[in-house]
Amino acid sequence: MGTPMFPNLGQHCSVDDCKQIDFLPFTCDRCKQVFCLEHRSYGKHCCPNADRQDVTVVICPLCAKGVRLVPDEDPNITWESHVNTDCDPSNYERATKKKKCPVPGCREPLTFSNTIRCKDCTIEHCLKHRFGPDHKCPGPKKLDAGFPFMGLLRKSQKEDSRANRSASASSSKWATSFLNAASSVRASAEAGMAKLSIATSQALQMAKDGIGPSSSGSNGQVEECPQCQAKFTSVTALVEHVERVHEKGGNRAGIKKVTIDVCPKCSRGFRDPVSLVEHVERDHGGTSKA
């Protein structure tokens, strides 16, 4: 057996009537014996273990389900077990009766690949009758007037429209009142700014003219800011307060800034330093010490 180069090459077939030397033998995966090309199948060499991994299925005539026969087990026992556990006779009609196209004269079975559902009448048809004119489609279904929930639907729609109208009316009233309030606030602000401008102009004009102080020590008068009601003992202090707090940048447009010298004794303002010296010498005995 074999060749001079490969002395162990080839084996005899295990079939008693064959015993042929095969240089490329086949080993059975069930009985683990060696066979030639002619006897390599299970049936040719009558393999005793051929049904170990056999997958034989029998269709149940009651429920149309497949029942797998277990190797080394009596088929009658397998059948009794199926009947007592998972046999459902109602499944037979569903499994054997196939759905067909409802178009008159068309008996095409409706399968997964040739079934089209019409979007208007929601009925399944075959590919040949998938269009509306082919299966005489009645069109989209209309809601029945006697539908139990139609009254509730219409009532809810009326309530929604009424709520939308009331919301729009209330929003328009709110917008009108808001505009009126804004207009009144703007008018009052403009009036206040006009009054402040007039008072500031008068105070600056008085300072330019060199009008004396109106302190509480001389005649008991007190100067008051027309905007913030702050009190000052002299016009000069009031002017400085207005320029520093209420005017932009400390200067008023169109008015030239004037330097005012204040008497340290009586707080009287003078535009000319010479006039201040003469005032001190005349009214305070020549001394400027407060």
Side-chain angles (χ1 to χ4, degrees):
M1 184 175 58
T3 62
M5 296 295 296
F6 301 98
N8 296 324
L9 183 62
Q11 293 183 13
H12 289 279
C13 180
S14 299
V15 178
D16 295 336
D17 297 337
C18 180
K19 294 298 181 179
Q20 180 183 355
I21 298 176
D22 197 327
F23 292 99
L24 294 175
F26 296 88
T27 302
C28 180
D29 56 351
R30 297 291 184 266
C31 60
K32 305 302 180 182
Q33 295 183 5
V34 178
F35 299 95
C36 63
L37 179 63
E38 183 181 356
H39 300 96
R40 69 183 186 280
S41 60
Y42 300 143
K44 291 293 184 178
H45 65 267
C46 300
C47 183
N49 301 327
D51 58 348
R52 294 297 180 184
Q53 296 183 359
D54 188 15
V55 182
T56 303
V57 178
V58 178
I59 303 300
C60 177
L62 300 178
C63 62
K65 291 183 179 179
V67 181
R68 182 178 181 272
L69 299 181
V70 181
D72 297 335
E73 185 180 45
D74 190 359
N76 295 324
I77 298 177
T78 305
W79 171 257
E80 290 294 336
S81 177
H82 164 70
V83 171
N84 296 330
T85 55
D86 60 344
C87 185
D88 185 11
S90 62
N91 185 61
Y92 182 82
E93 185 176 357
R94 294 194 302 267
T96 56
K97 186 177 181 180
K98 295 183 180 180
K99 192 175 182 181
K100 297 183 180 181
C101 182
V103 176
C106 180
R107 306 305 298 170
E108 181 72 20
L110 297 180
T111 60
F112 176 78
S113 60
N114 70 336
T115 302
I116 298 295
R117 182 182 296 273
C118 180
K119 63 180 181 179
D120 293 332
C121 61
T122 65
I123 299 177
E124 294 181 348
H125 300 83
C126 63
L127 294 177
K128 183 180 179 180
H129 301 97
R130 64 185 181 273
F131 297 109
D134 297 334
H135 62 266
K136 299 180 180 180
C137 182
K141 293 184 179 179
K142 297 182 180 180
L143 294 177
D144 188 7
F147 191 66
F149 298 100
M150 283 299 296
L152 297 176
L153 179 60
R154 293 173 181 174
K155 184 178 179 180
S156 63
Q157 291 177 353
K158 292 181 180 179
E159 292 179 354
D160 293 341
S161 61
R162 191 181 299 110
N164 293 333
R165 288 196 299 268
S166 61
S168 61
S170 61
S171 62
S172 62
K173 292 181 180 179
W174 181 84
T176 305
S177 61
F178 178 76
L179 291 176
N180 294 334
S183 300
S184 61
V185 170
R186 180 179 179 182
S188 61
E190 291 178 352
M193 291 298 295
K195 292 181 180 179
L196 176 62
S197 177
I198 295 173
T200 305
S201 300
Q202 294 177 356
L204 290 174
Q205 188 65 31
M206 292 174 62
K208 287 172 63 179
D209 295 340
I211 299 177
S214 57
S215 62
S216 59
S218 59
N219 51 9
Q221 295 181 357
V222 178
E223 299 295 336
E224 182 178 357
C225 178
Q227 184 172 0
C228 62
Q229 287 77 36
K231 300 182 183 300
F232 302 91
T233 57
S234 63
V235 178
T236 306
L238 173 61
V239 172
E240 292 178 355
H241 163 73
V242 171
E243 292 179 349
R244 183 177 64 254
V245 177
H246 301 295
E247 291 293 333
K248 295 181 179 179
N251 296 325
R252 184 177 178 83
I255 299 177
K256 185 178 180 181
K257 187 174 182 181
V258 180
T259 303
I260 299 176
D261 297 321
V262 182
C263 177
K265 184 67 176 179
C266 61
S267 301
R268 185 176 178 181
F270 297 89
R271 292 185 297 170
D272 189 7
V274 179
S275 301
L276 174 60
V277 174
E278 292 177 355
H279 162 71
V280 172
E281 291 178 351
R282 182 177 61 252
D283 296 338
H284 300 294
T287 175
S288 63
K289 186 176 182 180

